[in-house]
Amino acid sequence: MSAHALHLAAEETPHPVVAIGLMSGTSMDAIDCALLVTDGERVFFPHVPCPSLAFDISPRMREQMLELCKSGGDNLELERQITLLHASAVNMLLEKNDLRPSDIDIIGFHGQTISHRPAEHLTCQLGDASLLAEMTKCSVVYDFRRRDVACGGEGAPLVPVFHRALLESVRA
């Protein structure tokens, strides 16, 4: 039933893209995971049992991330753990909606922000897009924040685009 509802939402647009968006903010308390359909101009929210979820980050991992923020130490193992948590969030969202990886066109993976100083054109996120793609069997786009900051932005390049698409969807 869920895959059917997802495809019904996709039929509302001529060139649908079924996407999962991931976000873990500076609070470092959870990973937000959302399922949506877009044509690049509008956003459609599929009628599925669980269109979004918050996947908790353990207090221990949060402590490790905060320590890394302070020390700037080795981050390879922590990056792997963060990526695996994101993969678990995606796989849980798929399972709760009776979806397969083949139902998803793309995952937008923000990673976990460890340091963010846009005024200095500096930002650092942890996350391994290749590992996430392997663990979820979905295509992944990643590292969009760094490019935005390098160009003088605040590091949230998708927010204005999403808000515009959301408003277009409400008007439609």
Side-chain angles (χ1 to χ4, degrees):
M1 170 177 157
S2 295
H4 178 69
L6 182 64
H7 294 295
L8 286 177
E11 288 173 6
E12 295 179 32
T13 180
H15 304 289
V17 174
V18 179
I20 292 177
L22 291 168
M23 177 67 183
S24 53
T26 54
S27 64
M28 301 180 187
D29 60 348
I31 298 164
D32 296 320
C33 187
L35 181 65
L36 59 94
V37 178
T38 182
D39 61 4
E41 299 291 327
R42 297 172 295 163
V43 176
F44 304 92
F45 297 97
H47 300 287
V48 294
C50 182
S52 65
L53 58 84
F55 194 87
D56 290 338
I57 294 174
S58 72
R60 183 175 180 276
M61 182 168 283
R62 185 174 188 274
E63 280 180 37
Q64 290 176 308
M65 289 188 287
L66 289 170
E67 182 59 37
L68 181 61
C69 291
K70 292 176 193 170
S71 71
D74 181 22
N75 63 16
L76 292 177
E77 181 55 33
L78 184 57
E79 180 173 59
R80 177 175 159 60
Q81 292 174 23
I82 288 168
T83 303
L84 292 174
L85 270 180
H86 281 78
S88 294
V90 168
N91 290 327
M92 179 183 287
L93 187 69
L94 292 175
E95 182 180 319
K96 285 182 174 275
N97 291 296
D98 194 27
L99 296 172
R100 299 176 313 276
S102 60
D103 293 318
I104 305 302
D105 294 309
I106 197 130
I107 294 173
F109 181 37
H110 177 276
Q112 175 61 56
T113 300
I114 298 299
S115 181
H116 187 64
R117 299 190 312 252
E120 299 172 49
H121 304 290
L122 297 171
T123 189
C124 178
Q125 288 73 40
L126 294 183
D128 182 341
S130 297
L131 178 60
L132 182 63
E134 185 62 31
M135 299 304 296
T136 61
K137 306 300 183 213
C138 296
S139 296
V140 175
V141 292
Y142 177 71
D143 209 13
F144 25 85
R145 176 173 263 199
R146 192 175 311 191
R147 175 72 176 145
D148 187 63
V149 169
C151 294
E154 291 294 315
L158 300 180
V159 172
V161 175
F162 176 75
H163 287 167
R164 187 187 79 223
L166 188 58
L167 285 173
E168 289 297 320
S169 300
V170 171
R171 290 182 194 146

